[in-house]
Every structure is written in C-alpha cells, then in structure tokens.
Amino acid sequence: MVISGPRQPGNDIDVYLSPLIEDLKLMWDQSVEVFDEFVNETFKMHAMLFCIINDFPAYSNLSGYGVKGHKAYPICEEDTAPQQLKHGRKTC
C-alpha cells in the first residue's frame, strides 16, 4: 500500500492500517475458510505479515521511532556518534 503526495496520512497512518491489522490477527489466531478454485474445495488459511519495506520517514510514521537528530538510525543507536556539519545545520 503506497499513500504518497501532499495528502498522505503521516502520523495518522494507523487509521488506514487498523483494519488490516485486525484482519491479520483474525487470520493468524482463528484462520479463515477460503475456497480453492483449482481443487474445488475449501481450506483453513492462516496469514501473517512477514516483512515490510519502507524508507526512514515511513518507518518513523509506522513505528513511532524518531528518525531525525542524534539517534536517527535505530539499528546502531548506541554505537553511533552524531556530528553536526561544519557549514550547515544538518546532523550526520
């Protein structure tokens, strides 16, 4: 699902993801009966979200983790040494 542009939900992405999360919980915990057209029978299907791919701004919106400033990279967090650029206001 890609929601881009000037009207993207930003931090309100949970409004869009909430129904998806509820459906995934149902499909994992209880399963859902699904019809298989090829073999002409139904089966119980379980589903899960395996991984997501996103950039850092989307990561921030989805997880609530701040990706700006001195601890912007969540993997290395404590092992990073942020520096201010000499002729700018950006942190690297």
Side-chain angles (χ1 to χ4, degrees), residues 4-67:
S4 61
R7 302 190 75 164
Q8 65 182 345
N11 290 333
D12 296 328
I13 190 78
D14 57 334
V15 172
Y16 292 92
L17 294 180
S18 183
L20 172 65
I21 299 301
E22 292 302 316
D23 287 346
L24 286 171
K25 283 180 180 178
L26 173 71
M27 292 175 75
W28 181 254
D29 293 336
Q30 300 174 14
S31 76
V32 175
E33 192 142 314
V34 178
F35 182 74
D36 184 343
E37 179 72 32
F38 185 73
V39 294
N40 200 27
E41 62 183 33
T42 60
F43 66 96
K44 290 189 179 258
M45 180 173 72
H46 292 272
M48 66 180 227
L49 180 62
F50 181 67
C51 67
I52 60 170
I53 300 172
N54 49 267
D55 58 7
F56 273 124
Y59 178 77
S60 175
N61 286 340
L62 291 171
S63 68
Y65 187 93
V67 293

